[in-house]
Amino acid sequence: MRILHTSDWHLGQELYGHDRGPEHDVFLQWLLETIDAREVDALIITGDIYDVVNPPIEAQQRFYRFLNSALSQSDHMQIVVIGGNHDSGSRVELPKALLPHNRVYLVGGMPRAVGVVDPAGAILELKDKYGVTGAVCAAIPYLRPGDLPAGQSGSNPVAQLYAASIQAANQRASGVPVIATGHLHIAGGAVSELSERRIFVGGEEAVSADIFPSDVAYVALGHLHNPQLIPGSTLIRYAGSPFPLSSTERGYEHSVVLLDLSGGGSVPTLIRTPRPVPFLRVPNDGFASLAEIESLLAALPLPEVPSNLRPFLEIAITMDSPIPDLRQRIDAALQGKPVRLTRLLRQSNAVASDGQPGSATKELSEFDPLQVFVRRYMKEYGVEPPEPLKKAFLQLVAALAESGPDQTASGAA
Ligand SMILES: [Mn+2]
């Protein structure tokens, strides 16, 4: 039984106004070819299919075209899709009735039976090309507050829900390997600044890897964008995003996981994904003066490519004093170059009123909300806010992000 695990596609994403569609097309074409060449039996996509709950029509068409091509190029490959924190659960499940029920499993939100969360409803049997069940999958999506059992003191509600689902999977498995999915933040995972929206499930930002028992053969995770193995009592992996979704991710070795499952265990192989658009930064690390940046830009080797595949460029500039025509000078240095500017980071050498060099000209968007809150609190009270207050603030920010202006009816309880 061969499974391919991928995650966090974020279809419909825009990077500082630049469309990522052409990169998604390259990735999805590569994925179709890889699935075919490697004779994959089941594809698992662990959430954040779309970047926002209300994705553009083009992004949804791209997803449906992919499903259609993947189904028609193989006569048995199954596709499991779980909802992520960026997805609307009901949007993920929308085309369910149009798709073959024994080949595509869309689990946008935690399944319910007569209104009550039903862990057994998330259990699927994945079959090999001979129609023999090769794995039983507990397809758990991103969990929203109403999905979790009322907390008994001392036990984590996420752990309880996983325990119930894995138990239901084991009952169905009778010796066949059990795998589980999730879209959550496991403690110890490496996060990507500016990329993943903070989430709180069951009141906690991160959940312990202990929730996955050793009798599960593989745990396929989504949410963290850096492909990574999570230490635990079994094989737990974040597949990561297919290409950099922010400048923070530009150094990652983006990949998908190919998993060979047998009674004897599971063997993962990472396959690097294509990166059709380079992510450049000038300078490569840290900051440089305008004069240095102008000469680095002049020397930048930039081959001519179609305009929608031009490299992204982030510029980080340090200044001793404000440069009134900064933007014009950067524009002039980039004139005619086949490159797409994303961020222009500014650092001032002047010492700001908060005593921190470099913060004087930092833009609000370069701070995360917690940093703004901490600075404001310190200005008022002279000390850092207490930890419970910071946590309450982060929960509020996470709740706002999920119920923002682009929120429509979703799987949220
Ligand atoms: Mn994501």
Side-chain angles (χ1 to χ4, degrees), residues 344-346 358-368 372:
L344 180 56
L345 293 166
R346 275 163 275 211
S359 66
T361 56
K362 239 181 155 177
E363 310 214 339
L364 195 57
S365 62
E366 292 167 36
F367 292 99
D368 77 24
V372 177

Side-chain angles (χ1 to χ4, degrees), residues 2-301:
R2 188 172 262 184
I3 288 170
L4 194 145
H5 169 207
T6 168
S7 196
D8 295 83
W9 293 359
H10 288 261
L11 296 171
Q13 200 219 18
E14 276 195 359
L15 184 72
Y16 297 93
H18 303 298
D19 179 21
R20 313 301 302 273
E23 291 162 90
H24 278 121
D25 284 340
V26 171
F27 167 66
L28 294 174
Q29 185 54 41
W30 172 88
L31 186 59
L32 287 171
E33 288 161 14
T34 304
I35 287 166
D36 192 40
R38 304 284 187 143
E39 299 182 53
V40 169
D41 297 308
L43 173 70
I44 300 181
I45 314 169
T46 45
D48 288 358
I49 308 305
Y50 299 115
D51 191 51
V52 290
V53 292
N54 244 337
I57 297 291
E58 294 74 30
Q60 299 177 65
Q61 287 174 325
R62 194 167 268 121
F63 184 52
Y64 297 155
R65 268 201 308 269
F66 170 81
L67 290 181
N68 188 45
S69 305
L71 289 174
S72 50
Q73 78 172 17
S74 150
D75 56 8
H76 82 286
M77 190 188 75
Q78 299 126 90
I79 304 174
V80 180
V81 182
I82 63 163
N85 60 309
H86 283 244
D87 295 311
S88 147
S90 41
R91 184 181 301 283
V92 168
E93 293 183 11
L94 188 64
K96 216 176 199 173
L98 294 173
L99 295 164
H101 70 276
N102 56 345
R103 293 194 61 192
V104 183
Y105 301 95
L106 303 175
V107 189
M110 194 57 205
R112 284 175 159 70
V114 270
V116 180
V117 167
D118 175 26
I123 310 306
L124 324 164
E125 287 182 26
L126 299 176
K127 300 189 184 335
D128 66 15
K129 60 185 166 197
Y130 305 109
V132 176
T133 301
V136 170
C137 176
I140 311 297
Y142 171 62
L143 298 169
R144 293 189 154 82
D147 297 334
L148 297 171
Q152 299 153 7
S153 61
S155 70
N156 180 303
V158 179
Q160 283 178 50
L161 190 139
Y162 268 93
S165 302
I166 289 166
Q167 192 189 6
N170 280 330
Q171 280 164 4
R172 281 274 282 282
S174 55
V176 165
V178 167
I179 60 176
T181 70
H183 191 96
L184 73 179
H185 181 175
I186 296 296
V191 301
S192 317
E193 205 192 330
L194 299 172
S195 278
E196 301 124 1
R197 200 184 274 161
R198 284 168 182 257
I199 51 176
F200 287 83
V201 179
E204 295 297 329
E205 190 172 10
V207 183
S208 163
D210 295 348
I211 66 172
F212 305 117
S214 59
D215 58 355
V216 171
Y218 181 67
V219 181
L221 295 181
H223 183 56
L224 299 182
H225 289 183
N226 195 354
Q228 57 194 290
L229 177 77
I230 296 291
S233 61
T234 184
L235 183 61
I236 307 168
R237 281 209 73 98
Y238 281 98
S241 47
F243 49 78
L245 296 168
S246 78
S247 151
T248 329
E249 299 178 32
R250 69 199 178 96
Y252 297 171
E253 301 197 339
H254 292 275
S255 52
V256 298
V257 185
L258 194 70
L259 184 79
D260 281 307
L261 266 183
S262 67
S266 43
V267 181
T269 309
L270 301 188
I271 311 175
R272 291 285 294 271
T273 51
R275 190 179 291 193
V277 172
F279 239 92
L280 310 175
R281 192 179 189 278
V282 170
N284 207 19
D285 285 300
F287 288 77
S289 70
L290 179 57
E292 287 166 317
I293 282 168
E294 282 171 329
S295 70
L296 285 168
L297 289 177
L300 209 58

